[in-house]
């Protein structure tokens, strides 16, 4: 039997928890804002130490999805789901089907997708119980892996940064340091290789770094030494909070533009410090929206080609940089203000 409870939090339309003893499911769905459309966001599975930490994480992630979709001008709201559990030993078909039933109870107010430690195969299991699943395999008519599209939007944003900061639009000979060459980072490095950029890569998984060296002629640098290397563009594509009190003094590049979420540990403080150092920062949720754009265009609109929408992320970034210069405030602050207005229905 499913035990579903509502959790009230200011600023959120709906937060619901679910426990189901037979499958062992403990999950939370947060719906931040559905003013522009149904909430969409991935499902993350993680062994949170307690429910409070899971609620904090799902709220932060759902809020970020509202901003990402609004900035990309998608008719989608922001939502996210977390399953409390260890993905290596707690994930069973029964648990995933139970998650599907939970999502189905929300009657389409929340559309799920994949996030950390939930695979496309897991989505297939979840989809046995609900139609509100996006990013299913292309062989099943779904939009497939969002990562290559995320990489496309990051490349688009990087080109705008190149123009803004280095007054050029080609990558020939520009050195880019890609931190993390997993799904997004490798796809981005491949695109940059095709654009004749010089690549430096680091990854805690040596196999991932070796592959980039072998296939893309990238130079490998140990993860703890990456920021000591010389490069023009830093592309964080691993974890968040990589710009923090420890790393800010080490950064000596011209541009930061990457796929990772929440790159600035303290958004207000570190955005100002980057501006003082004359490092151009492309707000993460503006340039890493390619994945959700692909889902929106192919799974929701049922159109084939997300590229025209992905190109628009470049236009959004140009507007952000223009206003940032006019108003003398960091790009991330401008992005938050512009997106806040879209979310409030004012634009
Ligand atoms: P992934 O797990 O496939 O790749 C991450 C890579 O980073 C792995 O190869 C991992 O070994 C490496 N890594 C971890 N810690 C590292 C460190 N300290 N130094 C160097 N490398 C390290 O994940 P992904 O799907 O490529 O996502 C990467 C980032 O982009 C995440 O922050 C994710 O939230 C964000 N993101 C992904 C998508 C998407 O479409 N997949 C969309 C938006 C944002």
């Amino acid at each position: 039997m499913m035990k579903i409870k509502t959790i009230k939090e200011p600023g959120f339309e709906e937060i619901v928890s679910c426990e189901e003893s037979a499958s062992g499911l403990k999950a939370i769905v947060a719906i931040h804002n559905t003013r522009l459309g149904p909430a969409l966001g991935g499902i993350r599975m993680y062994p949170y130490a307690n429910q409070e930490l899971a609620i904090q994480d799902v709220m932060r992630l759902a809020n970020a999805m509202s901003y990402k979709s609004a900035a990309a001008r998608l008719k989608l709201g922001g939502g996210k789901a977390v399953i409390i559990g260890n993905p290596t030993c707690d994930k069973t078909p029964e648990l995933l089907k139970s998650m599907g039933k939970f999502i189905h109870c929300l009657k389409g107010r929340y559309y799920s997708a994949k996030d950390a430690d939930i695979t496309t195969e897991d989505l297939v299991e979840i989809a046995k119980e609900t139609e509100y699943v996006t990013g299913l395999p292309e062989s099943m008519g779904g939009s497939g892996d969002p990562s290559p599209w995320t990489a496309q939007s990051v490349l688009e944003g990087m080109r705008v940064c190149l123009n803004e900061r280095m007054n050029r639009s080609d990558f020939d000979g520009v050195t880019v340091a890609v931190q993390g060459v997993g799904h997004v980072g490798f796809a981005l490095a491949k695109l940059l290789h095709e654009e004749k950029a010089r690549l430096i890569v680091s990854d805690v998984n040596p196999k991932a770094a070796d592959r980039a060296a072998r296939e893309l002629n990238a130079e490998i640098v140990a993860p703890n030494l990456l920021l000591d290397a010389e490069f023009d563009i830093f592309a964080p594509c691993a974890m968040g909070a990589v710009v923090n009190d420890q790393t800010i003094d080490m950064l000596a590049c011209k541009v930061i533009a990457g796929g990772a979420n929440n790159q600035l540990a303290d958004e207000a403080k570190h955005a100002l410090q980057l501006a003082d150092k004359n490092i151009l920062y492309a707000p993460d949720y503006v340039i890493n929206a390619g994945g959700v754009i692909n889902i929106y265009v192919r799974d929701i609109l049922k159109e084939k080609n997300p590229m025209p929408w992905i190109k628009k992320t470049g236009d959004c970034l140009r507007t952000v940089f223009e206003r940032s210069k006019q108003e003398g405030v960091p790009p991330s602050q401008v992005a938050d203000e512009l997106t806040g207005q879209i979310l409030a229905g004012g634009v």
Side-chain angles (χ1 to χ4, degrees), residues 75-326:
K75 296 274 174 243
L76 286 178
K80 206 85 182 185
V82 293
I83 298 176
I84 304 173
N86 186 332
T88 49
C89 51
D90 297 335
K91 203 198 280 174
T92 60
E94 290 68 37
L95 179 126
L96 293 167
K97 277 194 225 136
S98 191
M99 185 66 192
K101 285 183 192 147
F102 174 36
I103 292 167
H104 203 69
C105 288
L106 299 168
K107 299 191 169 104
R109 294 194 296 283
Y110 165 69
Y111 277 76
S112 59
K114 82 183 210 58
D115 196 69
D117 282 312
I118 291 292
T119 63
T120 306
E121 292 70 39
D122 297 335
L123 291 182
V124 173
E125 211 58 49
I126 292 169
K128 289 181 180 163
E129 300 292 340
T130 182
E131 73 227 58
Y132 305 117
V133 181
T134 65
L136 286 167
E138 294 185 15
S139 58
M140 292 174 68
S143 63
D145 180 8
S147 316
W149 304 100
T150 302
Q152 285 285 359
S153 68
V154 175
L155 181 79
E156 200 59 36
M158 231 181 230
R159 211 187 289 284
V160 174
C161 294
L162 208 58
N163 206 279
E164 183 70 26
R165 184 67 176 76
M166 295 166 76
N167 205 19
R168 57 187 290 177
S169 53
D170 69 291
F171 285 90
D172 196 351
V174 172
T175 305
V176 185
V178 183
Q179 183 181 48
V181 269
H183 285 88
V184 175
F186 187 84
L188 174 65
K190 192 161 183 278
L191 292 171
L192 287 164
H193 179 62
E194 284 159 10
E195 295 272 341
K196 299 191 170 53
R198 190 180 151 249
L199 290 169
I200 298 177
V201 298
S202 78
D203 199 297
V204 290
N205 173 1
K207 280 190 185 154
D210 285 347
R211 180 182 172 212
R214 206 173 49 246
E215 295 182 22
L216 309 175
N217 199 24
E219 179 190 338
I220 301 175
V221 174
N224 59 332
L225 298 177
L226 181 67
L227 298 186
D228 295 328
E230 269 189 39
F231 46 82
D232 302 299
I233 302 179
F234 176 40
C237 294
M239 63 289 174
V242 287
V243 179
N244 55 47
D245 289 344
Q246 282 72 48
T247 57
I248 192 103
D249 290 335
M250 299 159 80
L251 287 162
C253 52
K254 298 182 179 76
V255 168
I256 299 180
N261 287 314
N262 307 313
Q263 292 168 27
L264 309 186
D266 178 331
E267 195 176 300
K269 179 170 95 173
H270 295 126
L272 276 175
Q273 288 177 329
L274 288 176
D276 283 347
K277 287 170 71 95
N278 200 19
I279 297 175
L280 185 66
Y281 170 66
D284 42 28
Y285 65 80
V286 176
I287 71 161
N288 73 12
V292 72
I293 291 173
N294 179 53
I295 287 175
Y296 178 68
V297 171
R298 291 169 67 196
D299 285 335
I300 311 277
L301 297 183
K302 306 285 182 203
E303 290 177 11
K304 285 200 168 70
N305 184 9
M307 272 319 278
W309 286 78
I310 288 177
K311 294 262 177 212
K312 285 191 217 156
T313 57
D315 299 337
C316 174
L317 198 59
R318 265 182 224 104
T319 308
V320 165
F321 289 154
E322 208 45 53
R323 286 230 346 218
S324 165
K325 280 186 288 188
Q326 279 165 10

